[in-house]
Amino acid sequence: MFDDANRFYSSAISVNSQSVIMAVLWISLLIVVFHLIRKRIKLVQNFGIVTLIIMLLLMLVRVFFPLDFKFTKNIPSILYGNLEYFFEKVTLFSIPGIDFAVTPLAILLTVWAVGSVVSFLLFVHRSRKALRCLKDSMHAPLPKDQEILDMAENRMGKSHRVMLYRALVMTPLTYGYFRPKILIPAGKKYSDQELYCALLHELFHFYHRDAWIKLLVQLLCSLLWWNPLMYLFQRDVTQTLELHCDAATYARMTSMERCDYMTTLANAVKASKEMKILAMQSTGSSSELAAEMGRDRMNQRISLLIGAHKMPKHSKRYYFLVTLVMVAALFCTYLFIFTPLHTQYYGLENWTSGIPVTQENSYLVEYPEDCYFLVVSNSSSSEQSNHTITPLDNPETVRQALEERQLEVKTVDKEGFLQVLADTGSQDPQTDYLFWAYLYFPDLLTQEERDSFSMEY
């Protein structure tokens, strides 16, 4: 039985190799754009850090939903066609005993799959190892630590109790996904204001759910481990999340508290460099107040904080319009897709089991508009039993039939199509018509015809 909802989904939305390749191409281009915007302090100041977060989320949507819609325009590509032929049709060697030809595509997919699994398992191993090390060193915070955390939560207007521990870490950090914990360095003495600034920063990571964003990016890096841009993207995401929390923390502070926050950040950087030996906790943490990072990225954080008073205060309407524009841009990435153009390797004979296709023995049936079927008669035997009808769902084969072979086109209605099926030797044209209709023009079927076909199959 065919389900109408599933039929509509499969006909209107699909996922195929072309849509996946387009998603990889688009995400690679967007990573470069994202990196260029993230690096420019003036751009970040003018457009706002929230704009970067919106762009980040939409980029993740694009890569995790590589869809091919009904309205997507196919753009034939000779280069793509040649590459597809090489990877799918060229046989490198055959495996004795089983009728299986090893192609470059089979090797490529195997290497890709194995690399993705290994990359993900390494991430899990590092995370578990780091978690064990942290659990061994975690102990209850000082009474003053908990009091300052309560003050920071009250400042944010949140009632959720966040677990706080002292541990062998370089700088304050948030760790975990389902039950995140804030860890602060064991044995390090903080002033009340320093600890307050650090905990407020980590609370924003906690309430923004930054750990889950970083986990999605890590999964993406494991999946596309062979793409060097993914690791650039991972670093940019980490920096963007830090900028976001810096801005959110800064906005809730007085002028004096902001000075203390800058001092806390500078001290955390210094402590991080002095304790490189304890770097194992970085894997799996959703944030570190001042993780070991390049000078340029730390300078950007400090520069944005210093120039925070110059940043325009954008309204909710501004961010709504920004989101609208970015969603429209995301939609545009689904408007076209590259498809293989096999001008060199595929001909109409591939669709007719090698029977020569000529103007004398072949013609096209168009029903409905832009839906073509190739009808071929093999004159070596009786006429009726050797007529074949084949749908041409490859734009290149249609072009060959129309332009190169100049075959006659018969545009028919439903009755005409039934007659064509009868002429090609169909024993039950009505059932065959329903079969082709379900596959190629389901919207033309009536409810009774759908029910009739469902009863047959």
Side-chain angles (χ1 to χ4, degrees), residues 266-338:
N267 291 339
V269 173
K270 182 178 179 181
S272 176
K273 291 182 178 180
E274 292 174 351
M275 300 174 65
K276 292 181 182 180
I277 193 173
L278 299 178
M280 57 25 183
Q281 82 274 6
S282 61
T283 301
S285 66
S286 65
S287 74
E288 290 184 58
L289 178 64
E292 186 179 353
M293 61 177 63
R295 179 179 299 178
D296 291 342
R297 290 196 290 163
M298 182 53 66
N299 286 343
Q300 184 185 39
R301 291 179 65 181
I302 295 175
S303 297
L304 287 174
L305 292 177
I306 293 175
H309 64 284
K310 299 179 182 179
M311 297 177 66
K313 296 188 179 299
H314 298 303
S315 63
K316 292 183 179 179
R317 182 179 180 183
Y318 169 83
Y319 287 117
F320 174 77
L321 292 176
V322 166
T323 303
L324 198 62
V325 170
M326 289 189 177
V327 169
L330 176 68
F331 174 80
C332 290
T333 66
Y334 289 102
L335 290 180
F336 68 91
I337 188 172
F338 292 114

Side-chain angles (χ1 to χ4, degrees), residues 107-336:
I107 295 177
L108 186 65
L109 292 178
T110 301
V111 172
W112 186 350
V114 172
S116 296
V117 172
V118 170
S119 177
F120 179 73
L121 291 179
L122 286 176
F123 166 72
V124 173
H125 172 72
R126 289 194 299 265
S127 298
R128 289 173 61 86
K129 181 179 178 181
L131 181 60
R132 286 196 300 268
C133 293
L134 289 175
K135 282 185 175 181
D136 292 341
S137 68
M138 284 167 45
H139 58 270
L142 301 175
K144 182 190 70 171
D145 299 339
Q146 190 62 53
E147 292 177 6
I148 295 176
L149 178 62
D150 294 339
M151 290 174 52
E153 286 189 299
N154 292 335
R155 183 68 169 272
M156 295 180 64
K158 303 289 186 178
S159 58
H160 192 286
R161 298 282 297 179
V162 181
M163 302 300 294
L164 178 65
Y165 295 93
R166 290 267 182 171
L168 291 178
V169 294
M170 295 185 293
T171 65
L173 61 86
T174 303
Y175 195 95
Y177 301 106
F178 295 99
R179 295 181 180 178
K181 303 172 181 62
I182 295 179
L183 308 180
I184 53 179
K188 182 174 177 58
K189 294 182 178 180
Y190 287 98
S191 68
D192 291 354
Q193 199 57 41
E194 281 181 330
L195 186 58
Y196 173 79
C197 293
L199 292 178
L200 192 61
H201 177 95
E202 296 307 319
L203 282 174
F204 274 110
H205 278 297
F206 175 79
Y207 289 112
H208 289 166
R209 300 293 188 266
D210 289 345
W212 291 101
I213 296 178
K214 293 186 71 175
L215 180 60
L216 282 177
V217 174
Q218 177 60 51
L219 293 176
L220 189 58
C221 287
S222 296
L223 181 64
L224 303 177
W225 57 269
W226 45 267
N227 188 344
L229 289 175
M230 296 312 307
Y231 304 101
L232 173 66
F233 182 55
Q234 191 174 38
R235 291 193 295 270
D236 282 341
V237 168
T238 299
Q239 176 72 349
T240 300
L241 297 179
E242 294 302 326
L243 294 176
H244 190 209
C245 285
D246 282 342
T249 304
Y250 214 65
R252 284 171 169 76
M253 289 182 167
T254 64
S255 298
M256 184 62 67
E257 289 173 336
R258 290 176 178 178
C259 293
D260 292 332
Y261 184 74
M262 296 282 286
T263 302
T264 302
L265 190 61
N267 291 339
V269 173
K270 182 178 179 181
S272 176
K273 291 182 178 180
E274 292 174 351
M275 300 174 65
K276 292 181 182 180
I277 193 173
L278 299 178
M280 57 25 183
Q281 82 274 6
S282 61
T283 301
S285 66
S286 65
S287 74
E288 290 184 58
L289 178 64
E292 186 179 353
M293 61 177 63
R295 179 179 299 178
D296 291 342
R297 290 196 290 163
M298 182 53 66
N299 286 343
Q300 184 185 39
R301 291 179 65 181
I302 295 175
S303 297
L304 287 174
L305 292 177
I306 293 175
H309 64 284
K310 299 179 182 179
M311 297 177 66
K313 296 188 179 299
H314 298 303
S315 63
K316 292 183 179 179
R317 182 179 180 183
Y318 169 83
Y319 287 117
F320 174 77
L321 292 176
V322 166
T323 303
L324 198 62
V325 170
M326 289 189 177
V327 169
L330 176 68
F331 174 80
C332 290
T333 66
Y334 289 102
L335 290 180
F336 68 91

